[in-house]
Amino acid sequence: MVKEFERAGFPIVQMCNLIPVAKTVGSNRIVPTISIPYPLGDPATDKTEQWKLRYHRVGVALDSLTTEIDEQTIFKVKF
């Protein structure tokens, strides 16, 4: 389904922690996440730290939507 959206002109970003799988299925914009059960958070940290993690990763994902790419791209996250 992602490829159909891309063909229609809508950029899509996939946030996941299994990067090889995302590459295999053909995702063009990939943003790494933290873990399978908690992709955008870490319950071992306090709420403020979790908010920072989520805010940053979603920001990277939003920025990736406006980035022109020619091939599959894995966007870097700081932490």
Side-chain angles (χ1 to χ4, degrees):
M1 178 163 314
V2 170
K3 290 181 182 182
E4 292 301 318
F5 279 106
E6 292 273 348
R7 275 186 225 143
F10 298 102
I12 300 293
V13 61
Q14 181 171 1
M15 299 178 75
C16 65
N17 65 337
L18 299 172
I19 303 302
V21 174
K23 289 174 73 174
T24 300
V25 299
S27 297
N28 288 324
R29 292 173 177 84
I30 304 167
V31 174
T33 59
I34 298 167
S35 69
I36 291 173
Y38 306 104
L40 292 177
D42 181 0
T45 61
D46 63 17
K47 288 184 180 185
T48 303
E49 188 63 30
Q50 285 189 51
W51 186 87
K52 288 178 185 177
L53 285 170
R54 290 178 180 139
Y55 187 85
H56 175 68
R57 302 234 177 203
V58 170
V60 171
L62 290 173
D63 289 342
S64 74
L65 291 173
T66 61
T67 303
E68 291 292 327
I69 60 169
D70 294 327
E71 59 187 22
Q72 286 182 318
T73 304
I74 301 169
F75 290 86
K76 304 284 186 227
V77 293
K78 290 182 187 176
F79 47 99

